[in-house]
Structure formats: C-alpha cells, structure tokens
Amino acid sequence: MIVETNARTGTILVVDDNPTNIQVLFDILSEIGYRVAIAKSGEAALQRLQSYQPDIILLDVMMPGIDGFETCQRLKAESATREIPVIFMTALSDTVDKVKGLSLGAVDYITKPIQHEEALARIRVHLQLHNSQKVLEQRTSELSQALDNLKQTQMHLVQSEKMSSLGQLVAGLAHEINNPVNFIYGNLKPAEEHIQDLITFVSLYQECHPQPHPKIQAWMEEVDVEYVAEDLPKLLNSLKLGSDRIRQLVLSLRNFSRLDESELKPADIHAGIDSTLLILQHRLKASPEHPTIQVIKDYGKLPMVECYPSQINQVVMNLLSNAIDALEESRVNSTPKITIRTCVTNNNWITIAIADNGIGISEEIRSQLFDPFFTTKPIGKGTGLGLSISYQIITQKHNGKIYCYSTPGQGTEFIVEIPVQRVMCQIG
C-alpha cells in the first residue's frame, strides 16, 4: 500500500553558518508543523546525512569551509542523497550564480533577506513535488514487478502447455512406432533362417543336378542365383541394422519425454545428451544449404546426478538447437562444429558446456538472452522462451547456474552447472 507524506509533516535540514538565520527559519518552520534539523556548515551537513535523510534541504551558498555549491555537488554525487531536493539560500542576485546552482542540481533559490511567505510557498511546492515523485517511483516499481510477474506466469503457462503437449506427442509417437518395429525386428530372425534354408536347398539342388532343365538353367542365369544367394544375407543384415536404428530412436524419444519422471531421480547425463543428439541427427547432416555439422564429444567421468531428467534434456535440446541455428545462419564456416564438454569441478558440481564455432553473439544481445520472449529469430521461427525456460529450469529447479560466453566472429559457448545432490556410481 502506498502512503503519501503530508507536506506539512516533512523533515527539513537547514544548513547555514548564521545563528540568526537558523533561529528564524527554525521558529517559522516548526510553527507550521515541519520537523527541522540544523547543520552549521557544509561538512556538518554531509556528516549528518550519512545517517539521516530529510525530505528537503535549505542550503546557504556563502559558508566557511566548503561553500553551498560544493556541498550541493557532493550531495548529488552520492546515490543516497542525490534525490533530496536542494533549495539554495543566498543574497547573491547574479544570474550566473543562480544558473550555476541550478546546473549543480538545486531545484530553487530563496533570496536573502528571506521573505517568509515566499519561502514557505517554495518549500511547500517542492515537498509536494518530491513526495509525488516518490509515489510515482513506487507505483512504477510496483507496475514493473507486476509486469515481471505476469511475464513469468505467462512463460510458465506456455512452458507447461508446450511440454505437456510435446511429451504426450512424443510418448504417443514412440508407442505407435514401437509396435510395428518390434513386429519387424522379431520376424527378422525366423525370416533369416527360412531364407538360409532356401539357399541351402538351391545349393543342394545344384550339387545333385549339375545339369538342370534348360528352362530352369535360363531362369537361374536371368536372376543370377549366385548373386542372390550372396546378397540376401547382406540385405537381411541391413534390415536388422535399420530396424535396430529405429528402435534406438524410439528409445531416445521415450527417454527424452520421460513423462513418468516428475520427481528428482538419479540420471545419466551422458545418456540424455546422446538421446537428444540422436533426435537432432537429421539437422546435423549435410544439405544443399550447409555442410555436415561435426559433433565433438569431450565427456568426462560423471556421477549419476539427482535431477529432473526430462527438464535437463529440454535444456540440452534448446542449447543444441540454438547452436545448430547459429551454424546454419552463418553460412561462412566450411567446417561447422559443436563441441560438448562435461566434467566435475572441485566444488562437486556437474558442468555441461556446449560450444559452436559460429558467428558469435554481441554483448548487447548477450545481456538479454535469458529474458522472456526475447528473440533475434524471424517471426514464426522463435518464441523467445527457449533460453528463458532453460534459465528457470537450471537456476530454480536445480539450484544451478547457466552462463553464455561469446566472441563475435569466433563462436558461442553456453555453460550449465548443476550441484551434485547425491553421488551414486561412476559412469563413463
């Protein structure tokens, strides 16, 4: 709740070396209802202001020691006192002096000898302006906080809906693919045995009947029976490799979604990275627009880490996708590559570093990377949520840290650090 200070209950600091002026101002201001504090020199005022914050300062210009101009200059140089309104009190009527005082940050002048009604009117106006400014700043701060909260809520809603839909889609797709693939994979073994039996039969036939009927001989030469017998095992082996590849992809999709893992659990970080790389394999291959993106794995020996595996996979997916985007957009690097490095630091934290040798990111953009809805991608290609969500996952969900280092023209590296909650067993 905002409380506005009544102008008549404000606190005024009077800085003047003349006891008569001090007494007159003290009596007038106190009688009106203001709280009045006194300082007899610029040095004393600066000392007092280290532990005391008035609502306005009446500052004499001509004082021994540091004069009013220097005192005002020092006040405006300090963050704790620069916002306090300063009204100069002076017998100087020279316009140059007045301009000098206003340029140093003063808000007004009271000319000596002081006209009481004029002085009170000026003080009242500036106290009201100061209080209004404080109220405005407070309301602006509250609105800014409300906007930030709204952005965070919107981001979490989008993330929740996005991850729920993605998880269900991936899990459903993996399930639907898994059934026919298992059927194919399961029948490859008996098919191989049957085909081998047929090849054996042909070999026995040729052994027992070296001079077959001319029609059979012509057909055998047409289809090249010897080549078929030699090529069929290779064909079956290719089918086995292909179906096994599909099974691995299905497993990677299931590992990536991990819909049943809503709690902290020990996870193999490397397995999550490898699953994500397999899903992104199609984007790493060469195309007419860009060459093959080389992936270099520099894996250290990591312990099992207690984490939310699906969320860590999501972070890795975002960072790898951004690295691929950067390399595709650069189009000047003939040997694009992504380096993935993992290790355990001395303070028992897991480090995951993902670097590309793309065009890099400028400091201006880098300072906004983790802001919600900030994106440099064209409309329709980026939501500005990927890195912001990644930041939330690492810093809030895992009490970790995420950094970005980049040199324009040389590349970008994202570093994720996660504390090891509980060390299980060592993995390669």
Side-chain angles (χ1 to χ4, degrees):
M1 187 175 92
I2 299 173
V3 178
E4 297 192 20
T5 306
N6 190 303
R8 294 298 183 88
T9 60
T11 302
I12 301 174
L13 173 62
V14 178
V15 185
D16 198 324
D17 64 321
N18 188 315
T20 302
N21 289 340
I22 290 176
Q23 188 62 53
V24 170
L25 286 169
F26 183 88
D27 292 341
I28 294 172
L29 297 173
S30 298
E31 183 179 349
I32 295 295
Y34 294 117
R35 293 186 297 274
V36 183
I38 301 298
K40 295 184 179 180
S41 67
E43 293 90 341
L46 294 172
Q47 183 68 31
R48 185 157 192 171
L49 286 167
Q50 292 180 5
S51 57
Y52 170 81
Q53 291 287 305
D55 296 303
I56 199 167
I57 299 173
L58 301 183
L59 180 59
D60 187 22
V61 172
M62 305 300 293
M63 292 186 296
I66 61 173
D67 62 13
F69 291 138
E70 185 175 347
T71 302
C72 181
Q73 188 173 18
R74 294 191 188 184
L75 289 173
K76 298 305 177 182
E78 297 293 332
S79 59
T81 56
R82 66 166 58 107
E83 301 301 329
I84 303 174
V86 174
I87 298 178
F88 276 126
M89 301 181 296
T90 181
L92 300 174
S93 58
D94 193 337
T95 301
V96 174
D97 291 319
K98 291 184 178 181
V99 170
K100 179 180 179 181
L102 294 172
S103 66
L104 290 173
V107 296
D108 206 346
Y109 265 89
I110 296 175
T111 304
K112 293 181 179 180
I114 295 174
Q115 301 296 320
H116 298 170
E117 291 301 322
E118 179 187 357
L120 289 174
R122 292 179 184 273
I123 291 169
R124 188 180 303 114
V125 166
H126 288 295
L127 277 173
Q128 289 173 344
L129 287 173
H130 183 55
N131 290 334
S132 297
Q133 183 178 1
K134 288 196 293 186
V135 170
L136 179 61
E137 289 175 353
Q138 186 174 347
R139 287 179 176 164
T140 301
S141 176
E142 290 174 352
L143 287 172
S144 178
Q145 184 61 47
L147 180 60
D148 288 342
N149 292 339
L150 180 61
K151 285 184 176 181
Q152 292 292 334
T153 301
Q154 184 179 9
M155 183 184 68
H156 287 308
L157 286 173
V158 171
Q159 180 203 8
S160 177
E161 180 63 28
K162 176 182 176 182
M163 288 308 296
S164 175
S165 300
L166 177 62
Q168 292 174 9
L169 174 63
V170 169
L173 182 63
H175 177 75
E176 291 301 321
I177 295 175
N178 199 45
N179 288 336
V181 168
N182 282 338
F183 176 78
I184 295 171
Y185 191 82
N187 282 287
L188 282 174
K189 183 64 176 176
E192 183 180 21
E193 293 174 354
H194 296 334
I195 289 172
Q196 189 59 51
D197 290 340
L198 290 173
I199 292 174
T200 302
F201 170 76
V202 171
S203 297
L204 286 172
Y205 177 83
Q206 289 176 323
E207 182 180 340
C208 296
H209 299 279
Q211 296 298 327
H213 188 279
K215 279 189 175 183
I216 295 176
Q217 182 66 34
W219 179 84
M220 290 176 64
E221 292 175 357
E222 181 181 350
V223 300
D224 196 351
V225 172
E226 290 183 1
Y227 172 77
V228 171
E230 181 184 348
D231 191 57
L232 263 177
K234 297 179 182 178
L235 179 62
L236 281 171
N237 189 53
S238 296
L239 291 173
K240 286 171 66 177
L241 289 174
S243 60
D244 189 57
R245 176 80 172 172
I246 296 174
R247 292 179 74 200
Q248 290 178 17
L249 181 58
V250 169
L251 180 60
S252 296
L253 288 171
R254 293 174 64 182
N255 288 339
F256 181 80
S257 62
R258 293 179 184 262
L259 289 179
D260 56 333
E261 296 179 1
S262 59
E263 297 180 355
L264 283 170
K265 64 175 293 181
D268 181 346
I269 297 297
H270 291 158
I273 295 174
D274 290 341
S275 294
T276 307
L277 281 171
L278 188 59
I279 294 171
L280 291 172
Q281 188 65 38
H282 68 286
R283 295 197 61 195
L284 300 171
K285 295 179 179 179
S287 72
E289 290 78 24
H290 59 81
T292 299
I293 298 175
Q294 181 184 5
V295 176
I296 301 172
K297 297 180 185 178
D298 182 12
Y299 288 174
K301 229 174 180 29
L302 299 186
M304 297 287 279
V305 180
E306 281 196 347
C307 62
Y308 297 96
S310 64
Q311 295 186 12
I312 295 298
N313 289 345
Q314 183 185 359
V315 172
V316 173
M317 174 70 82
N318 284 334
L319 297 182
L320 286 173
S321 295
N322 283 344
I324 294 171
D325 288 343
L327 292 172
E328 288 179 346
E329 290 170 8
S330 63
R331 297 185 181 182
V332 295
N333 196 332
S334 59
T335 56
K337 65 181 179 180
I338 295 173
T339 302
I340 306 172
R341 177 175 54 85
T342 64
C343 64
V344 179
T345 59
N346 293 333
N347 57 358
N348 211 26
W349 283 52
I350 295 295
T351 297
I352 306 170
I354 297 176
D356 66 71
N357 61 341
I359 58 175
I361 305 172
S362 68
E363 173 59 32
E364 180 182 0
I365 293 176
R366 195 160 70 247
S367 64
Q368 304 177 71
L369 281 178
F370 301 112
D371 293 346
F373 307 106
F374 175 79
T375 180
T376 59
K377 297 178 182 178
I379 296 174
K381 289 199 68 176
T383 63
L385 287 174
L387 288 177
S388 179
I389 290 172
S390 297
Y391 182 85
Q392 299 290 331
I393 288 173
I394 296 302
T395 60
Q396 295 186 11
K397 288 285 190 176
H398 295 85
N399 296 319
K401 305 171 186 176
I402 182 168
Y403 312 95
C404 174
Y405 299 102
S406 184
T407 301
Q410 297 185 24
T412 302
E413 181 177 43
F414 282 90
I415 297 178
V416 173
E417 295 180 348
I418 307 170
V420 180
Q421 301 293 336
R422 183 183 305 163
V423 175
M424 305 298 287
C425 59
Q426 294 292 327
I427 57 176

